[in-house]
């Protein structure tokens, strides 16, 4: 069975030019489920992003199989697409897998690593760190 992130990678590889890839990235962002207005707060806002980005993690399971589901949004189209890719990569994985995973390899494979502005790259790093911080906090909470 192909995972959501594998499907996204395959779709990117089918697109020959960057105009099409950016359009696809925007489509991925538009396909995100609606984000609840009450979660557009400082509590869920990702610090270090030039655009506004909100990420919410929802842990489930016990200490041995603690999984996190994520949902998020951004006020910028391309960044919202980056959020969609990160959610496809990280959601429903164990907290330990999240901490061990390397999203940089995915972004390099689809070529985004070389086609993001420094500002978007910094924001992407901030989003990844936030997801990892949520995974660490969930693990600490499960161990307590």
């Amino acid at each position: 069975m192909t995972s959501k992130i594998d499907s996204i990678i395959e779709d990117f590889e089918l697109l020959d030019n960057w105009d099409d890839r950016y359009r696809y990235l925007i489509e991925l962002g538009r396909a995100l489920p609606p984000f609840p207005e009450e979660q557009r707060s400082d509590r869920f806002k990702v610090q270090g992003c030039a655009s506004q980005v909100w990420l919410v993690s929802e842990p489930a399971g016990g200490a041995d199989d603690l999984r996190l589901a994520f949902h998020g949004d951004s006020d910028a189209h391309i960044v919202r697409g980056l959020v969609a890719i990160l959610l496809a990569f990280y959601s429903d994985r164990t907290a330990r897998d999240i901490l061990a995973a390397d999203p940089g390899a995915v972004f390099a494979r689809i070529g985004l690593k070389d086609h993001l502005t420094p500002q978007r790259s910094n924001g992407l790093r901030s989003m990844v760190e936030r997801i990892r911080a949520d995974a660490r906090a969930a693990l600490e909470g499960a161990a307590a």
Side-chain angles (χ1 to χ4, degrees):
M1 182 175 187
T2 304
S3 73
K4 199 176 202 181
I5 193 65
D6 291 334
S7 294
I8 290 171
I9 291 168
E10 288 172 12
D11 290 344
F12 264 99
E13 289 173 345
L14 292 173
L15 301 171
D16 293 329
N17 66 61
W18 272 96
D19 286 341
D20 291 340
R21 287 181 176 199
Y22 281 124
R23 275 192 283 280
Y24 178 58
L25 186 61
I26 291 168
E27 286 176 32
L28 288 171
R30 286 185 178 143
L32 285 174
F35 193 78
E37 207 50 49
E38 64 272 9
Q39 292 180 337
R40 291 179 197 277
S41 67
D42 287 343
R43 177 177 174 216
F44 300 112
K45 194 170 183 182
V46 177
Q47 301 304 314
C49 293
S51 303
Q52 293 195 71
V53 176
W54 302 271
L55 288 173
V56 177
S57 61
E58 297 173 352
D64 294 333
D65 190 33
L66 180 64
R67 294 186 174 277
L68 283 92
F70 295 93
H71 62 277
D73 198 11
S74 175
D75 64 345
H77 295 296
I78 289 176
V79 176
R80 194 166 199 251
L82 297 175
V83 169
I85 291 173
L86 287 175
L87 298 183
F89 182 73
Y90 282 118
S91 271
D92 301 319
R93 293 176 83 165
T94 67
R96 284 181 175 75
D97 285 348
I98 288 168
L99 293 172
D102 178 17
V106 169
F107 281 93
R109 185 164 169 205
I110 60 181
L112 276 173
K113 184 178 179 183
D114 299 325
H115 291 287
L116 292 178
T117 63
Q119 199 171 22
R120 284 192 183 123
S121 293
N122 287 336
L124 183 62
R125 277 190 292 280
S126 295
M127 287 185 268
V128 168
E129 185 47 45
R130 168 62 179 281
I131 289 169
R132 288 181 172 163
D134 286 359
R136 281 190 295 274
L139 281 172
E140 289 168 8

